[in-house]
Amino acid sequence: MTNRLLLNFHDAVIYESDLSLLYSPTAWLNDACIHFQMTRFQHRKRGPRNDEDLEGHGVVQLEDLFLDPAVISFLMHQCNEKDEDFADDIFNLYQAWDLKKLTQSANESMTESPTKTKFYIKRVFVPINDQFSRSREAFTRPGGGSHWSLLLWTITSPVSLIETSQSNLDETIPTSFFYHFDSSSGYNSLAAAAVAQKLLKVLHCNLISNEGSIDDANVMECKTPQQNNAYDCGLYLLGFTEALSLLCVDSTMSQFIQEKYEVTLHEYASALSNGKCEVFTLLRKRIVDDIRDLISRGF
């Protein structure tokens, strides 16, 4: 039986078999379904934001990036430090994710007080699959795994460092925080930690090429609404991503941000539980309707 291609939306492809997973009320979502919706989130947003409310809290630009699970799988299972192409592979990701502005060189230190410092924040929404913690040797089936969760990576850098253009290779070290939201608490902790450490290697690829050292990633496990079945983890991931991406970050304090994210997801889950219809049935239907609409528009 032919598995017909239905949609190609900015390289996020949907086949008939993918659509059938969304029609089913109990199917586990695959990489293609996750990638499609993450791509929709990316293209629904306005790009970099310069909100007056954010400026009042010291943040002048907030930019979001939504990653493809296949790219994370590539990073975890095909980018090996022992390979001769490793430095090139992670540098290509560094460029593709537009991380250069966060690590540009600067010759002068910050002179403003912390309360007046203006920051650029990039948030990276990373789909985590339990297979990402497996070794390259143990990884045998692309698109496999049994559980999804969300890793939110925030990277903060002072604007004065970003706006200073220098030709030397000294690297300004931005601040990274990792927040993990798992609807089956603890299940994907190892995978999230492994991915976070590899992401730091991408961010600091210049340090690696100069044989510098990178600190261990600190992943904060956040209080997260829990699923009550074995198949809705992908929908929880997408629901969490949508709810958190709509929230403006107005602080650079990791503990405050973590609490705000946890409250947001608690309110999100409470609002959903008050509905008369099963929320994830509606979410599946919304994604299907979106796909049908894009197909009708010629994508």
Side-chain angles (χ1 to χ4, degrees):
M1 182 177 179
T2 302
N3 189 19
R4 187 165 56 96
L5 174 65
L6 300 177
L7 174 68
N8 185 333
F9 179 75
H10 297 278
D11 293 329
V13 296
I14 294 292
Y15 287 85
E16 288 180 330
S17 59
D18 304 318
L19 191 60
S20 68
L21 297 176
L22 291 164
Y23 275 125
S24 169
T26 59
W28 188 85
L29 299 189
N30 63 7
D31 288 39
C33 296
I34 300 297
H35 177 38
F36 167 76
Q37 194 64 3
M38 297 294 267
T39 303
R40 286 297 280 159
F41 292 148
Q42 188 71 65
H43 288 275
R44 282 173 180 166
K45 303 190 75 65
R46 294 185 288 124
R49 297 197 292 271
N50 291 278
D51 300 313
E52 292 181 1
D53 290 341
L54 295 182
E55 289 194 29
H57 291 83
V59 180
V60 297
Q61 191 174 100
L62 175 64
E63 184 176 355
D64 290 339
L65 176 65
F66 302 84
L67 296 185
D68 176 0
V71 173
I72 303 303
S73 182
F74 167 78
L75 175 65
M76 299 306 296
H77 299 126
Q78 297 183 50
C79 291
N80 190 298
E81 292 183 52
K82 297 180 180 179
D83 295 340
E84 61 180 15
D85 294 332
F86 176 72
D88 290 337
D89 287 338
I90 63 170
F91 182 71
N92 289 337
L93 292 175
Y94 172 84
Q95 288 188 309
W97 297 344
D98 195 22
L99 300 178
K100 182 178 181 180
K101 67 180 68 174
L102 292 156
T103 56
Q104 279 186 324
S105 305
N107 289 331
E108 56 185 44
S109 60
M110 295 294 298
T111 57
E112 296 178 283
S113 66
T115 56
K116 294 182 179 180
T117 300
K118 294 182 178 180
F119 292 94
Y120 172 93
I121 294 181
K122 192 179 189 81
R123 300 187 300 185
V124 186
F125 292 83
V126 187
I128 298 295
N129 190 294
D130 60 301
Q131 70 170 348
F132 293 162
S133 61
R134 299 173 188 171
S135 67
R136 180 162 65 169
E137 292 72 22
F139 174 69
T140 58
R141 185 167 67 91
S146 59
H147 183 61
W148 293 108
S149 60
L150 171 65
L151 181 67
L152 177 49
W153 178 25
T154 66
I155 317 166
T156 306
S157 190
V159 169
S160 63
L161 300 183
I162 295 171
E163 293 177 345
T164 303
S165 177
Q166 303 291 339
S167 59
N168 61 65
L169 295 178
D170 295 332
E171 186 185 71
T172 297
I173 306 298
T175 303
S176 284
F177 294 105
F178 294 94
Y179 307 90
H180 186 218
F181 304 91
D182 193 342
S183 60
S184 184
S185 183
Y187 196 97
N188 272 0
S189 295
L190 290 177
V195 171
Q197 193 63 41
K198 209 68 172 287
L199 290 172
L200 284 184
K201 292 181 179 180
V202 176
L203 179 63
H204 303 308
C205 59
N206 290 336
L207 279 179
I208 292 176
S209 64
N210 293 318
E211 300 183 351
S213 61
I214 297 175
D215 293 336
D216 291 338
N218 179 26
V219 179
M220 289 169 271
E221 294 289 339
C222 300
K223 297 177 183 178
T224 308
Q226 298 291 286
Q227 64 189 87
N228 57 9
N229 57 47
Y231 47 80
D232 273 339
C233 55
L235 291 162
Y236 273 82
L237 156 65
L238 296 175
F240 294 165
T241 299
E242 184 172 30
L244 296 178
S245 66
L246 296 175
L247 180 67
C248 285
V249 175
D250 55 8
S251 173
T252 57
M253 297 174 58
S254 61
Q255 183 177 359
F256 176 83
I257 293 174
Q258 179 179 353
E259 292 174 355
K260 190 167 185 177
Y261 283 158
E262 289 175 347
V263 169
T264 297
L265 290 189
H266 175 75
E267 293 175 347
Y268 172 76
S270 297
L272 297 181
S273 63
N274 290 331
K276 296 181 179 180
C277 299
E278 173 56 45
V279 61
F280 292 114
T281 299
L282 295 176
L283 182 53
R284 286 178 188 266
K285 182 179 183 301
R286 195 179 77 186
I287 298 173
V288 168
D289 290 344
D290 199 18
I291 290 172
R292 291 298 186 190
D293 175 65
L294 289 171
I295 292 173
S296 70
R297 288 159 52 190
F299 281 92

